[in-house]
Amino acid sequence: GQQVMQIPQYQHVQEGEDFTTYCNSSTTLSNIQWYKQRPGGHPVFLIQLVKSGEVKKQKRLTFQFGEAKKNSSLHITATQTTDVGTYFCAKNTNAGKSTFGDGTTLTVKP
Amino acid sequence: DAGVTQSPTHLIKTRGQHVTLRCSPISGHKSVSWYQQVLGQGPQFIFQYYEKEERGRGNFPDRFSARQFPNYSSELNVNALLLGDSALYLCASSWATPLSGNTIYFGEGSWLTVV
C-alpha cells in the first residue's frame, strides 16, 4: 500500500497565485526527495531533504522537512505557466527501495 | 553529454509474450533503478542495481527480472505479459545508491502497451 500520501491530488491556480503540496508519512523518514514531471515527460529530480526541520529554496520553490521527519512540503511562490506538471515526493529505505507518492498535479491558468 | 537512454521508446505486445527493455545510464553512473508508472499514479519501484548486484526489489511478481552488465547498462525483462503490465517503464541512474543523496536522473521511459 501507499506509504507516502500526497495532498491535494489536483490543484488549479491562477498565474501569480501561490501553490503548496504536502507529503505525509506514518513512519519517520530518513530522507525525502521531490520530483517534477511535465505532461508526457519523465520525473526530474528537484531536491533531497535529510535533516529534521530542514528548509531549502530554489528560486520560487521552497522545500521543507518536518521536525518529526514525517512530513514535507513544497511551496511555489507566484506560480507561472512553466510550473505546470505533477509534483511527486519519494522516500528511500535502507534497502535502496524508493517509494513515490501519487503526486499533486498543478495546472496554471494564464 | 548523453542522459539516461532507454529503448525502445514505444512498443506493443500481445498477452503472454515476453518483453526486454534496455537502459544505458549516464556515463560514470553505477546505479540503475527500474520503475513502473501507470497513468495517474506515481512511479512504482521494481528493482535497483548497483555495481552489477541487485540491491533492492519492489513488490512485483517473479515474471519481472532484471540484470546489470559490466558496462552498467541494464535490462528489464517481463515474461507472460498481462494487460495490467501496460505502463511507462522508467529507468533511473545515479552515481551511487539513491540513499547516499546523489541526484537521480530518469530516462524518457519505454511505453509498453499489452493487447
Side-chain angles (χ1 to χ4, degrees):
Chain A
Q2 195 68 40
Q3 295 181 28
V4 284
M5 299 297 295
Q6 282 190 257
I7 54 172
Q9 186 176 5
Y10 300 97
Q11 186 76 55
H12 179 74
V13 300
Q14 190 78 33
E15 188 173 22
E17 293 181 337
D18 291 356
F19 159 77
T20 304
T21 174
Y22 300 90
C23 181
N24 299 298
S25 171
S26 58
T27 58
T28 302
L29 303 168
S30 57
N31 61 71
I32 194 82
Q33 298 180 339
W34 285 93
Y35 298 80
K36 176 183 178 181
Q37 186 171 21
R38 293 181 183 273
H42 59 279
V44 174
F45 178 86
L46 295 176
I47 209 160
Q48 174 166 283
L49 305 173
V50 179
K51 299 177 182 177
S52 169
E54 188 171 16
V55 178
K56 289 188 177 180
K57 292 188 176 183
Q58 291 179 353
K59 297 182 181 179
R60 295 178 295 102
L61 276 61
T62 302
F63 303 86
Q64 196 161 6
F65 204 6
E67 293 289 342
K69 299 183 73 174
K70 288 186 175 182
N71 56 73
S72 180
S73 65
L74 159 59
H75 179 82
I76 302 178
T77 304
T79 55
Q80 300 174 359
T81 54
T82 54
D83 295 325
V84 164
T86 300
Y87 292 85
F88 293 99
C89 64
K91 69 170 189 175
N92 300 109
T93 67
N94 290 328
K97 174 181 177 180
S98 298
T99 301
F100 280 72
D102 280 338
T104 296
T105 299
L106 171 66
T107 55
V108 179
K109 184 177 181 181
Chain B
D1 287 342
V4 179
T5 56
Q6 291 187 243
S7 63
T9 55
H10 296 80
L11 69 165
I12 300 173
K13 290 285 189 177
T14 304
R15 278 178 298 176
Q17 284 188 315
H18 162 270
V19 68
T20 297
L21 307 177
R22 296 177 176 84
C23 172
S24 293
I26 293 171
S27 178
H29 284 195
K30 300 180 178 181
S31 176
V32 170
S33 298
W34 287 95
Y35 293 83
Q36 179 196 67
Q37 188 175 25
V38 175
L39 196 65
Q41 296 182 14
Q44 299 295 310
F45 175 79
I46 310 175
F47 288 109
Q48 187 206 7
Y49 279 79
Y50 176 65
E51 285 284 16
K52 292 154 282 183
E53 290 187 3
E54 182 183 302
R55 297 301 182 100
R57 173 183 286 254
N59 188 25
F60 280 80
D62 292 342
R63 299 184 296 108
F64 289 76
S65 63
R67 54 180 176 170
Q68 187 176 33
F69 299 99
N71 67 353
Y72 301 107
S73 67
S74 178
E75 281 184 357
L76 174 69
N77 294 282
V78 187
N79 292 322
L81 285 166
L82 302 174
L83 296 179
D85 295 331
S86 297
L88 175 65
Y89 288 85
L90 294 160
C91 173
S93 84
S94 63
W95 182 73
T97 59
L99 192 60
S100 62
N102 291 277
T103 300
I104 298 169
Y105 299 88
F106 279 91
E108 299 281 346
S110 294
W111 287 96
L112 170 65
T113 300
V114 182
V115 297

